[in-house]
Amino acid sequence: QVQLVESGGGSVQAGGSLTLSCAASAYTYGHYCLGWFRQAPGKGREVVATIDRDGTTWYADSVKGRFTISQDKAKNTTYLRMNSLKPEDTAMYYCAARGGDYCYYYLTTYSADNFWGQGTQVTVSS
């Protein structure tokens, strides 16, 4: 069982930056794949970025070049650095984890089996 706790959300103006953190209760680095999802009001949940056990990353087209997913092994924490934020980035952001490879595929296809955090709100004003 893995417990995930997100933090770092907040309110910023368009063009600003935020860094979200996802602290894991278990040793996830090299053992679990991690992903960031978001859900805006009235919309479905969408995957934003994933990082495989070997460090391979994937990004949604809407955030490519603006967001960066990374991990700190010593802190057992996964980050999402968000630059050049837009109002359409406003959403609740969730961290998810699962064992195995092919991170993007399994996190999105079998999302009910993921470990999930409680979410952190990001609001971007124009």
Side-chain angles (χ1 to χ4, degrees):
Q1 190 78 4
V2 177
Q3 292 181 328
L4 305 171
V5 178
E6 302 97 331
S7 62
S11 297
V12 296
Q13 291 191 328
S17 298
L18 283 174
T19 297
L20 306 183
S21 300
C22 173
S25 62
Y27 185 65
T28 57
Y29 187 86
H31 297 270
Y32 289 84
C33 68
L34 279 294
W36 286 96
F37 290 71
R38 67 185 180 187
Q39 186 166 18
K43 296 187 177 181
R45 184 172 57 198
E46 63 173 349
V47 59
V48 174
T50 65
I51 185 164
D52 282 64
R53 295 190 300 168
D54 64 358
T56 301
T57 57
W58 176 93
Y59 297 94
D61 287 343
S62 59
V63 306
K64 201 172 292 183
R66 300 189 298 122
F67 290 12
T68 302
I69 188 171
S70 62
Q71 292 181 307
D72 185 326
K73 176 182 180 181
K75 296 182 178 180
N76 211 26
T77 298
T78 302
Y79 302 96
L80 185 69
R81 174 66 178 177
M82 306 184 295
N83 296 325
S84 302
L85 282 162
K86 304 175 181 181
E88 51 263 43
D89 294 319
T90 295
M92 183 72 79
Y93 283 71
Y94 298 91
C95 178
R98 66 179 300 124
D101 298 313
Y102 306 107
C103 197
Y104 168 79
Y105 174 75
Y106 282 100
L107 279 175
T108 57
T109 304
Y110 302 99
S111 61
D113 298 329
N114 297 341
F115 297 107
W116 291 95
Q118 82 290 347
T120 186
Q121 178 68 38
V122 172
T123 302
V124 185
S125 59
S126 58

